[in-house]
Amino acid sequence: MMRILFPAALICFAASACSETTQVSDDLQESQTDASNPTGRTERVGANPGERPVRIGEGGPRFDACQAMGRVTGLRQADLDVLIAPFDAAERKAGLSAGQLVHICTRSHDQQWLGIVYDDTAPAEGDNPAANGSQDCGVSSPVRSKRNYDGPCKSGWVESTFVKLVAG
């Protein structure tokens, strides 16, 4: 009995799946009405194809989103390059001066690169943060799950050699 019911159920299922058809010409007609975007695709806003976002929450929901703080130090040039991805050939995003505090959120597998979050309006070393509008960046408290950092501060990748751990 089971042998007869299974093929019959499979035929009914297949027939119902094929009952609704869509013509390619129907979709084509709709897509051609939007002259500025005929394919209907949406671009990732503000994203570079080679960019690797900084992840927060890697310690889990019981720890701060970024578990450490560091200070830019030991520079050989005017500023530390903040890159869009954790490798030497990556595009430069910004630069950080000596003494700048950063939130350390993640690391590359080889430990050479740090994924950081930083306030680009932060005060210079020794200044009063409250007076200069420095902000917390939303990473000093836990997040529910791991995710890409999306603001309000800036983020990127820096060489770990030039960041000294100050807390965490």
Side-chain angles (χ1 to χ4, degrees), residues 1-21:
M1 183 69 172
M2 182 64 158
R3 287 183 172 178
I4 297 171
L5 289 177
F6 183 71
L10 187 58
I11 291 170
C12 289
F13 177 72
S16 67
C18 295
S19 65
E20 185 178 318
T21 59

Side-chain angles (χ1 to χ4, degrees), residues 127-165:
D127 287 351
N128 179 1
N132 290 0
S134 180
Q135 54 185 314
D136 160 34
C137 297
V139 295
S140 297
S141 57
V143 292
R144 290 185 189 173
S145 61
K146 297 176 192 177
R147 63 180 170 87
N148 295 342
Y149 181 72
D150 60 358
C153 295
K154 298 193 179 204
S155 63
W157 295 87
V158 296
E159 286 186 79
S160 59
T161 306
F162 302 107
V163 178
K164 180 181 177 185
L165 188 66

Side-chain angles (χ1 to χ4, degrees), residues 10 16 20 30 45 55 65 73 82 84 90 96 103-104 111 118 121-122 126 131 138 142 149 152 154 157 159 162 166:
L10 187 58
S16 67
E20 185 178 318
E30 288 178 23
V45 177
R55 303 277 292 168
T73 185
V82 179
I84 65 169
L96 298 176
H103 298 274
I104 301 169
Q111 306 293 311
Y118 62 97
T121 63
Y149 181 72
K154 298 193 179 204
W157 295 87
E159 286 186 79
F162 302 107
V166 294

Side-chain angles (χ1 to χ4, degrees), residues 5-164:
L5 289 177
F6 183 71
L10 187 58
I11 291 170
C12 289
F13 177 72
S16 67
C18 295
S19 65
E20 185 178 318
T21 59
T22 303
Q23 296 289 330
V24 173
S25 60
D26 295 342
D27 289 341
L28 182 62
Q29 190 68 9
E30 288 178 23
S31 70
Q32 290 177 340
T33 59
D34 184 4
S36 65
N37 188 10
T39 62
R41 293 184 188 150
T42 58
E43 279 190 49
R44 289 178 20 196
V45 177
N48 184 316
E51 188 167 4
R52 180 170 168 207
V54 172
R55 303 277 292 168
I56 62 171
E58 291 190 342
R62 295 171 60 167
F63 295 95
D64 290 346
C66 293
Q67 297 181 29
M69 290 288 295
R71 184 177 307 279
V72 175
T73 185
L75 298 179
R76 292 181 227 141
Q77 55 194 24
D79 59 2
L80 176 62
D81 290 339
V82 179
L83 306 177
I84 65 169
F87 52 88
D88 288 323
E91 184 180 319
R92 184 179 193 268
K93 239 180 164 172
L96 298 176
S97 58
Q100 172 79 42
L101 283 174
V102 297
H103 298 274
I104 301 169
C105 304
T106 188
R107 298 174 186 269
S108 61
H109 290 292
D110 63 4
Q111 306 293 311
Q112 182 179 352
W113 300 94
L114 298 175
I116 62 161
V117 168
Y118 62 97
D119 178 4
D120 63 344
T121 63
E125 191 171 4
D127 287 351
N128 179 1
N132 290 0
S134 180
Q135 54 185 314
D136 160 34
C137 297
V139 295
S140 297
S141 57
V143 292
R144 290 185 189 173
S145 61
K146 297 176 192 177
R147 63 180 170 87
N148 295 342
Y149 181 72
D150 60 358
C153 295
K154 298 193 179 204
S155 63
W157 295 87
V158 296
E159 286 186 79
S160 59
T161 306
F162 302 107
V163 178
K164 180 181 177 185

